[in-house]
Amino acid sequence: MKFGKRSVMEAVIVPLVAWVVIWLFLYIRPTSGIQRENFNVSWLITTVVSLLLVLAFIALVLKKRLRKVGYTDLKFKELPQVLEKADPEIINDLTSGIFRAILIWGAFSSGVLINGPKKGIILAIDFALVFITVGLLLIISMVVLLMDVPLMLYESLTGKRLSPIFKEILLISLVSGGSLVLLSCMASHLGASEIGLFRSLLKFYVNRDLYANLQLLSALNILYGLVGILILPRRRRAGLLMLLLIALALVPILIKVFIQLHSL
């Protein structure tokens, strides 16, 4: 079996087998939180259906990524042959994402196993909403301060061109910022407090100082991305100065947000 096809299959099978082994162990040796009764038909159906959805998503991502590198007329049945010919660097990048996707699926299925299908799915969606709204925003802010700014300074000092991530910063910040605005609309008009899915998110909205700082953090990240895309290529010195000023403005706000999150 060629490298590409084998690597993709291993990225799916290895974590999948690992999760199955863990669940078998828990079935043989139940714990206080997971009894044998938890391994029921509802859990099995939820696990299998979610796995099929994840595999379908993986196939779509593979197809889209391979199309970007030149396989424009790629069909699903041609994936195995194309994977054998694809660049190993692309394959490695894809397999790491596939591996993480299966790990996340296993964590979701384990949550359903512990809490039951209904509560487990609600908790998973709740976590996803919080992660998209707040988690991604904090991660991208840390990336800007700890990775992008140092790399940008290194590039300016050495003259080496590094891969910019301004588009990714802008996109993620827009998603998080849009989620914050949507949260405000839901909390104000739709009675979100009565919906279990939004209770965790509402904690961030009820704390008005925290919510305002999250909005400001999102706005600064969006501005950082826009400056990097629109100004930096045309006026390098002015762009670098603006990016550094935005990064400096991020520091106290990010510290405040972490302090406020700790006190929730």
Side-chain angles (χ1 to χ4, degrees), residues 21-232:
V21 169
I22 291 170
W23 293 330
L24 283 174
F25 178 79
L26 290 172
Y27 182 79
I28 296 170
R29 292 179 174 271
T31 65
S32 58
I34 303 176
Q35 300 296 321
R36 286 188 177 178
E37 292 76 14
N38 294 53
F39 294 88
N40 50 39
V41 176
S42 298
W43 172 76
L44 183 61
I45 291 173
T46 304
T47 300
V48 172
V49 170
S50 59
L51 176 61
L52 293 175
L53 290 173
V54 169
L55 292 176
F57 175 75
I58 288 171
L60 287 171
V61 170
L62 281 173
K63 186 177 178 182
K64 185 176 180 181
R65 181 64 188 277
L66 291 170
R67 278 183 171 178
K68 282 185 177 180
V69 295
Y71 299 96
T72 53
D73 298 324
L74 179 63
K75 297 178 181 178
F76 280 113
K77 63 181 180 180
E78 298 171 346
L79 271 177
Q81 291 79 16
V82 172
L83 288 172
E84 293 174 1
K85 303 174 185 176
D87 185 354
E89 187 175 343
I90 295 173
I91 295 297
N92 288 331
D93 186 34
L94 289 170
T95 52
S96 63
I98 293 169
F99 189 85
R100 288 193 295 269
I102 300 297
L103 286 180
I104 292 171
W105 162 79
F108 163 75
S109 299
S110 298
V112 173
L113 179 64
I114 295 169
N115 299 288
K118 184 178 179 180
K119 189 176 179 181
I121 292 171
I122 289 174
L123 288 173
I125 296 174
D126 188 31
F127 173 80
L129 290 173
V130 171
F131 180 75
I132 291 170
T133 306
V134 180
L136 280 178
L137 183 58
L138 296 177
I139 290 171
I140 204 66
S141 300
M142 296 293 290
V143 167
V144 167
L145 293 175
L146 300 180
M147 292 179 60
D148 196 62
V149 170
L151 288 175
M152 184 177 59
L153 292 173
Y154 173 79
E155 180 183 344
S156 64
L157 292 172
T158 61
K160 293 182 179 180
R161 292 289 178 179
L162 302 174
S163 299
I165 57 170
F166 296 116
K167 289 182 180 179
E168 289 79 2
I169 291 171
L170 178 61
L171 178 61
I172 293 173
S173 301
L174 285 171
V175 170
S176 294
S179 300
L180 287 169
V181 173
L182 187 61
L183 172 62
S184 176
C185 294
M186 289 189 300
S188 302
H189 304 292
L190 300 180
S193 58
E194 299 176 2
I195 304 175
L197 285 176
F198 303 115
R199 284 175 187 165
S200 296
L201 271 179
L202 283 175
K203 293 179 182 178
F204 304 104
Y205 179 76
V206 171
N207 189 327
R208 301 305 296 168
D209 289 336
L210 173 59
Y211 182 75
N213 284 329
L214 288 172
Q215 285 184 313
L216 187 55
L217 206 60
S218 176
L220 286 172
N221 284 328
I222 291 171
L223 183 60
Y224 186 91
L226 288 172
V227 170
I229 294 170
L230 300 176
I231 297 178
L232 186 63

